């Protein structure tokens, strides 16, 4: 079953991750937040849990559908989507999922462990 919000959870050794940095969303600031500072490299046997949230597709269509089913008198009023139809509508593109998967592989992550 597809997830409404596709999350890839990865556990792997910090040593498996190269220092290569890819910015998939250039309009987002990826620097550490205020109050954070680099104090050194994590131990090679450290386990890191990463969660990747991949951008939804068709958010504009979802918004129109939402207001249509919610407004009395609208032709779509009460015509709610089944969960599978909703997931099909907003699931991230195959290209976006492939980009994340390839980035993980390039950086030494065994995607078979996802």
């Amino acid at each position: 079953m597809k997830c409404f919000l596709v999350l890839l959870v990865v556990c792997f050794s910090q040593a498996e991750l190269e220092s290569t940095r890819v910015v998939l969303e250039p309009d987002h600031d990826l620097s550490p937040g205020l109050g954070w500072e680099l104090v050194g490299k994590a131990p090679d046997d450290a386990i890191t849990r990463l969660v990747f949230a991949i951008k939804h597709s068709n958010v504009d269509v979802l918004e129109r559908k939402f207001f249509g089913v919610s407004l009395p008198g609208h032709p779509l009023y009460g015509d709610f989507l089944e969960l599978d139809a909703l997931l099909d509508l907003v699931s991230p593109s195959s290209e976006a999922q492939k980009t994340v998967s390839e980035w993980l592989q390039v950086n030494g992550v065994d995607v078979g462990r996802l």
Side-chain angles (χ1 to χ4, degrees):
M1 183 169 129
K2 296 177 185 174
C3 293
F4 180 69
L5 175 61
V6 177
L7 297 177
L8 299 176
V9 180
V10 184
C11 294
F12 56 93
S13 166
Q14 190 68 27
E16 292 177 29
L17 185 62
E18 295 176 8
S19 63
T20 305
R21 183 174 178 146
V22 174
V23 178
L24 302 176
E25 293 286 342
D27 58 336
H28 289 74
D29 180 13
L30 300 176
S31 61
L34 292 175
W36 290 88
E37 68 178 83
L38 180 63
V39 294
K41 184 178 180 277
D44 288 342
D45 61 347
I47 301 295
T48 302
R49 179 178 179 182
L50 297 177
V51 177
F52 293 87
I54 304 174
K55 190 173 185 176
H56 295 297
S57 298
N58 303 313
V59 175
D60 57 332
V61 176
L62 176 63
E63 183 176 11
R64 286 194 304 271
K65 181 72 173 168
F66 168 78
F67 285 110
V69 302
S70 303
L71 295 172
H74 192 282
L76 294 176
Y77 181 68
D79 185 20
F80 300 102
L81 291 175
E82 296 289 332
L83 180 59
D84 288 342
L86 176 63
L87 296 175
D88 287 342
L89 177 65
V90 297
S91 290
S93 69
S94 297
E95 181 182 335
Q97 294 178 47
K98 182 180 175 189
T99 299
V100 172
S101 180
E102 288 175 352
W103 180 86
L104 291 169
Q105 288 176 331
V106 164
N107 287 283
V109 176
D110 178 6
V111 294
R113 296 175 59 190
L114 300 179

